[in-house]
């Protein structure tokens, strides 16, 4: 190896050159990506229009109690006396008895408002995000019940395991300042 | 030369991937709903409640995390190179484990950020958050300056393994290199699956994330426990044989400006540090080359250099032939397979996915065309990632047949995780410490 008096040899020269090239490369990558960066972080959310309420949300979340829960858009609700999100198929009676309910955990509360309207409220700590009520409400009702990722519970994993198991591709990354895709009705 | 080629290919694989389109757009849309039962006009003065929307963790915390990462990297580098205190490094290790691991739940980490970067390069619709980009780049830049100080005390995955190294046994060099090949394959696969928008496999198969979450699937908990158990005897198995970020850091660490030195002074070849490294990263001085070996080695080297393109092409070919298997990681490809089976009457029952697809009323032809695009991506991805693995193998072989002269006991630039365990084995270190103590006593 040719060594000169300054103590610079070929190996050192190559190493320094390569070092500078790598640093430039990293800078270049940063520059290239900065065109496509988002100042904001993203969070996971379910598009209720695509969701088929398959029930995977209840089981695939990395947390034991899923971060996905049912949300009720009251403005969309018909306040029906007989709600297909609340009552199981062929209920014994039209009242709040446990045997009549569709929800496996009894997470929907039915309260009387005025004749003939009833309000349905999700008791969130009880809801496990199975989507049974969502399916019922979408099939026969207005579709005011839908599943959403609750961000007070979501760990925002880099790869969401529910998203990986979602059969309809309803899970998407949304900007953190618009973290919910809520159903709404446009009224004139 | 070897590291030269490694890095060039590494960046080439990262940069040359063709742009992939598709994937969900991240913009919030507000859907409207058709009403079967018109909402009632209440007469009792009932007011509509509105659904609660608990906010996600504030974005400002992402920057706090980045600042903490920067501070931890700086402190780690200082502790490794200046303070040379194993105890302080260990303390930082525990802090990182609790902050990045248990407090931040291990997400986002630089290892997983590889995939976000790959996805944002190849997917037009995905913009990588700035915090994630910094998480990816900061440790790389620090490694270029100070060696693998990120691995030493900042990475929570490294930290959790570092704490269980109790009875380390040495792994023979051939086995170590052979097993390490897996990490390169893993890196190539992770970049391919991320770039095609299929999956983030590094996150999916992160063995320690379920510990950080304190919950998770049974399989992953068992895998994590296995890694920790093996880690009692084989120091940091994930870092050495699996970590895809680690192999990038290896190459950058080879040319870092500063490096961990076992001795603070001149090596006296006392051999005391020889067995101190639980990760097998201490290199002994080399003996002289026997003269008779020389010609044979030259021929072998020439052969290996000729073998390089053959290996690259054949591994690339294998990679592209694996397309039917690898492309099934993509959900759309799986869906198209299922639809095909249903259409041809080979599958009687529909799946959730195929039912959901049919409910959208999308044409099957469109789906098949989409899948063709995705599969073309996997074909090219297979060539590139296979070629990358072939190149790694070829360069490793070439590296084995080049010998360098080493006169002292040195930390292997690439393999050293900068944990600082060897420091206290050096008698020169003790002499220095004694001097320093005396100096303090006198003043």
């Amino acid at each position: 190896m040719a060594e000169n008096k300054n103590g610079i040899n070929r190996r050192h020269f190559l190493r320094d050159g390569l070092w500078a090239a790598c640093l430039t490369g990293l800078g270049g990558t940063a520059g290239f990506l900065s065109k496509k960066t988002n100042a904001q972080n993203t969070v996971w959310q379910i598009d209720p229009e695509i969701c088929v309420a398959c029930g995977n949300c209840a089981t695939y979340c990395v947390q034991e109690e899923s971060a996905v829960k049912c949300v009720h858009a009251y403005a969309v609700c018909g306040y029906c006396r007989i709600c297909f999100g609340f009552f199981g198929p062929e209920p014994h009676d039209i009242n709040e008895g446990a045997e009549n309910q569709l929800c496996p955990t009894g997470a929907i509360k039915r309260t009387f408002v005025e004749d003939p309207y009833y309000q349905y409220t999700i008791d969130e700590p009880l809801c496990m995000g199975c989507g049974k009520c969502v399916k019922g409400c979408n099939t026969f009702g207005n579709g005011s019940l839908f599943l959403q990722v609750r961000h007070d519970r979501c760990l925002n994993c880099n790869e969401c395991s529910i998203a990986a198991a979602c059969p309809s591709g309803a899970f998407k990354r949304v900007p953190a300042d618009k973290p919910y895709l809520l159903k709404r009705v446009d009224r004139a | 030369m070897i590291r030269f080629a490694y890095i060039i290919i590494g960046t080439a694989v990262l940069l040359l991937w063709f742009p992939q389109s598709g994937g969900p757009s991240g913009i919030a849309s507000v859907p409207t709903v058709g009403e079967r039962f018109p909402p009632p006009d209440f007469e009792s003065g009932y007011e509509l409640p509105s659904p609660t929307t608990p906010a996600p963790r504030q974005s400002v915390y992402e920057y706090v995390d980045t600042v903490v990462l920067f501070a931890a990297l700086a402190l780690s580098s200082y502790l490794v190179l200046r303070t040379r205190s194993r105890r302080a490094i260990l303390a930082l290790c525990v802090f990182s484990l609790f902050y990045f691991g248990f407090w931040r739940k291990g997400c986002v980490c630089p290892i997983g950020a590889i995939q976000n970067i790959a996805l944002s390069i190849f997917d037009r619709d995905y913009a990588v958050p700035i915090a994630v980009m910094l998480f990816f780049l900061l440790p790389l830049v620090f490694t270029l300056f100070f060696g693998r100080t990120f691995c030493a005390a900042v990475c929570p995955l490294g930290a959790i393994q570092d704490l269980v190294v109790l009875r380390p046994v040495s792994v023979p060099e051939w086995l170590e290199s052979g097993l390490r090949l897996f990490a390169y394959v893993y890196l190539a696969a992770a970049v391919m699956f991320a770039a095609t928008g299929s999956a983030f496999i590094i996150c999916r198969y992160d063995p320690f994330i379920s510990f950080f979450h304190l919950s998770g699937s049974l399989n992953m908990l068992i895998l994590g426990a296995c890694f920790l158990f093996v880690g009692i005897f084989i120091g940091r198995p994930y870092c050495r044989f699996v970590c895809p970020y680690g192999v990038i850091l290896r190459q950058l660490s080879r040319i870092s400006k500063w490096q961990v030195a076992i001795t603070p002074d001149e090596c006296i070849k006392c051999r005391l540090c020889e067995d101190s490294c639980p990760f097998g990263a201490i290199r002994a001085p080399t003996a002289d080359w026997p003269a008779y070996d020389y010609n044979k080695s030259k021929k072998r080297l020439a052969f290996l250099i000729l073998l390089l393109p053959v290996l690259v092409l054949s591994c690339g070919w294998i990679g592209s032939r694996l397309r039917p298997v690898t492309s099934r990681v993509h959900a759309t490809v799986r869906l198209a397979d299922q639809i095909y089976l249903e259409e041809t009457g080979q599958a009687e029952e529909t799946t959730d996915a195929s039912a959901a697809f049919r409910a959208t009323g999308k044409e099957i032809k469109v789906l098949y065309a989409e899948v063709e695009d995705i599969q073309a991506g996997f074909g090219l991805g297979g060539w590139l990632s296979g070629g990358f693995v072939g190149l790694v193998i070829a360069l490793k072989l070439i590296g084995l047949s080049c010998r360098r002269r080493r006169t002292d006991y040195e930390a292997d630039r690439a393999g050293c995780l900068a944990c600082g365990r060897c420091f206290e084995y050096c008698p020169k270190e003790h002499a220095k410490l004694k001097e320093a103590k005396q100096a303090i006593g006198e003043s």
Side-chain angles (χ1 to χ4, degrees):
Chain A
M1 194 150 288
E3 217 163 320
N4 65 23
K5 279 173 193 160
N6 298 329
I8 297 173
N9 59 29
R10 191 171 53 191
R11 175 163 287 168
H12 283 145
F13 179 72
L14 277 176
R15 174 176 292 180
D16 287 350
L18 201 57
W19 184 85
C22 280
L23 202 61
T24 325
L26 287 180
T29 314
F32 173 72
L33 287 174
S34 63
K35 278 188 215 154
K36 280 197 68 185
T37 45
N38 212 339
Q40 281 228 12
N41 211 358
T42 56
V43 292
W44 292 100
Q45 194 47 273
I46 301 171
D47 187 337
E49 292 295 278
I50 304 176
C51 172
V52 291
C54 64
N56 281 355
C57 290
T59 47
Y60 279 88
C61 185
V62 291
Q63 300 185 89
E64 219 164 279
E65 186 191 338
S66 176
V68 172
K69 308 242 174 206
C70 182
V71 170
H72 193 191
Y74 295 95
V76 181
C77 181
Y79 286 81
C80 314
R81 192 175 76 91
I82 300 176
C83 168
F84 291 95
F86 182 81
F87 291 109
E90 296 170 28
H92 299 273
D93 208 347
I94 303 302
N95 61 33
E96 289 78 34
E99 71 277 14
N100 305 326
Q101 292 188 25
L102 177 66
C103 180
T105 55
I108 306 180
K109 298 281 165 281
R110 180 176 186 257
T111 43
F112 177 74
V113 183
E114 61 179 63
D115 199 46
Y117 303 128
Y118 286 82
Q119 179 188 305
Y120 298 91
T121 319
I122 309 291
D123 186 356
E124 226 168 77
L126 289 181
C127 177
M128 58 178 198
C130 68
K132 286 197 166 74
C133 59
V134 176
K135 221 168 200 170
C137 183
N138 274 339
T139 317
F140 302 108
N142 283 358
S144 61
L145 295 168
F146 55 99
L147 294 173
Q148 286 283 284
V149 174
R150 305 302 280 170
H151 291 296
D152 50 342
R153 298 196 42 77
C154 178
L155 298 175
N156 199 18
C157 301
N158 202 15
E159 184 187 66
C160 171
S161 23
I162 311 177
C166 179
S168 59
F171 261 80
K172 42 171 117 170
R173 290 187 170 92
V174 299
D177 64 344
K178 284 181 197 141
Y180 291 92
L181 300 174
L182 296 178
K183 281 192 176 182
R184 194 180 76 181
V185 71
D186 285 330
R187 289 201 192 139
Chain B
M1 276 322 277
I2 300 155
R3 60 175 164 269
F4 192 76
Y6 269 141
I7 289 163
I8 292 214
I9 297 307
T11 23
V13 166
L14 274 174
L15 292 176
L16 284 180
W17 226 301
F18 75 109
Q20 271 275 325
S21 59
S25 66
I27 307 306
S29 64
V30 185
T32 50
V33 204
E35 291 155 29
R36 291 195 179 92
F37 308 98
D41 294 318
F42 294 106
E43 287 158 8
S44 57
Y46 168 81
E47 267 182 44
L48 282 185
S50 51
T52 57
T53 50
R57 195 171 176 268
Q58 278 187 320
S59 275
V60 63
Y61 287 110
E62 313 299 330
Y63 296 104
V64 173
D65 290 341
T66 316
V67 172
V68 173
L69 176 75
F70 184 86
L73 280 168
L75 184 61
S76 169
S77 305
Y78 183 78
L79 293 177
V80 167
L81 297 174
R82 292 303 296 272
T83 317
R84 291 173 62 82
S85 156
R86 167 70 191 152
R87 208 173 282 179
I89 296 170
L90 193 65
L92 184 58
C93 226
V94 173
F95 165 79
S96 300
L97 177 61
F98 279 94
Y99 186 84
F100 294 111
F102 291 104
W103 167 244
R104 284 299 298 119
K105 311 281 183 202
C107 260
V108 62
C109 78
I111 307 172
I114 296 173
Q115 305 162 117
N116 299 62
I117 300 292
L119 180 64
S120 82
I121 291 175
F122 298 110
D123 185 339
R124 250 173 258 146
D125 299 326
Y126 177 72
V128 63
I130 217 156
V132 175
M133 189 171 77
L134 289 174
F135 258 74
F136 176 72
L137 287 175
L138 276 178
L140 296 181
V141 173
F142 267 85
T143 304
L144 262 184
F145 281 93
F146 308 111
R148 295 174 70 175
T149 49
F150 168 73
C151 302
V154 186
C155 178
L157 280 77
I160 195 171
Q161 293 174 86
D162 207 75
L163 296 179
V164 299
V165 182
L166 297 174
R167 290 275 176 277
V169 294
S170 75
V171 179
E173 178 63 32
W174 61 268
L175 186 60
E176 169 113 24
S177 299
L179 287 173
R180 193 187 307 131
L181 186 63
F182 180 79
Y184 289 98
V185 177
Y186 197 34
L187 173 65
V191 171
M192 177 170 79
F193 287 131
T196 51
S198 317
F200 278 14
I201 56 168
I202 300 174
C203 301
R204 196 176 290 182
Y205 301 111
D206 181 340
F208 304 113
I209 197 86
S210 28
F211 292 132
F212 299 150
H213 287 164
L214 300 177
S215 74
S217 76
L218 185 64
N219 291 344
M220 292 317 289
L221 276 167
I222 292 173
L223 182 70
C226 286
F227 264 104
L228 287 186
F229 179 74
V230 170
I232 297 174
F233 308 103
I234 298 172
R236 293 208 193 187
Y238 186 83
C239 307
R240 283 154 80 191
F241 309 127
V242 185
C243 183
Y245 197 65
V247 294
I248 305 175
L249 294 181
R250 278 181 73 83
Q251 309 316 327
L252 293 181
S253 174
R254 284 176 201 273
I255 51 167
S256 67
K257 272 271 174 264
W258 294 279
Q259 264 289 331
V260 177
I262 301 171
T263 171
D265 212 330
E266 211 166 282
C267 177
I268 50 171
K269 298 166 200 69
C270 62
R271 301 181 62 193
L272 285 174
C273 65
E274 208 172 37
D275 297 321
S276 67
C277 184
F279 316 120
I282 292 180
R283 298 279 168 269
T286 48
D288 284 337
W289 278 60
Y292 62 88
D293 208 12
Y294 197 68
N295 268 330
K296 219 165 126 189
S297 304
K298 255 204 294 200
K299 269 184 200 154
R300 190 175 54 201
L301 182 60
F303 168 73
L304 286 174
I305 290 174
L306 289 176
L307 190 69
L308 185 138
V310 180
L311 265 175
V312 171
L313 286 176
S314 53
C315 286
W317 182 77
I318 293 171
S320 71
R321 299 309 291 176
L322 285 174
R323 189 175 77 173
V325 186
T326 51
S327 65
R328 272 186 64 84
V329 175
H330 200 294
T332 313
V333 178
R334 282 201 305 273
L335 170 66
D337 280 359
Q338 174 66 24
I339 295 281
Y340 178 77
L341 291 181
E342 285 172 18
E343 290 297 305
T344 52
Q346 294 174 66
E348 278 161 18
E349 282 184 30
T350 60
T351 60
D352 279 340
S354 66
F357 170 76
R358 287 176 196 280
T360 59
K362 209 163 119 182
E363 266 191 72
I364 294 177
K365 257 191 254 163
V366 178
L367 177 74
Y368 285 168
E370 246 174 61
V371 165
E372 228 155 75
D373 273 357
I374 294 168
Q375 291 211 319
F378 270 100
L380 185 64
W383 270 107
L384 288 174
S385 48
F388 169 72
V389 172
L391 189 79
V392 167
I393 299 172
L395 291 176
K396 180 72 208 173
L397 289 175
I398 291 173
L400 285 175
S401 25
C402 300
R403 281 209 200 171
R404 287 197 203 91
R405 215 166 285 127
R406 211 178 303 110
T407 51
D408 298 337
Y409 279 89
E410 282 171 14
D412 179 35
R413 289 186 80 103
C416 174
L417 296 170
C419 69
R421 281 190 178 82
C422 52
F423 296 160
E424 61 170 354
Y425 286 83
C426 184
K428 286 278 191 176
E429 174 89 13
H430 287 275
K432 271 252 157 116
L433 285 177
K434 215 172 177 181
E435 260 175 47
K437 260 186 201 162
Q438 272 170 356
I440 293 169
E442 278 165 20
S443 63

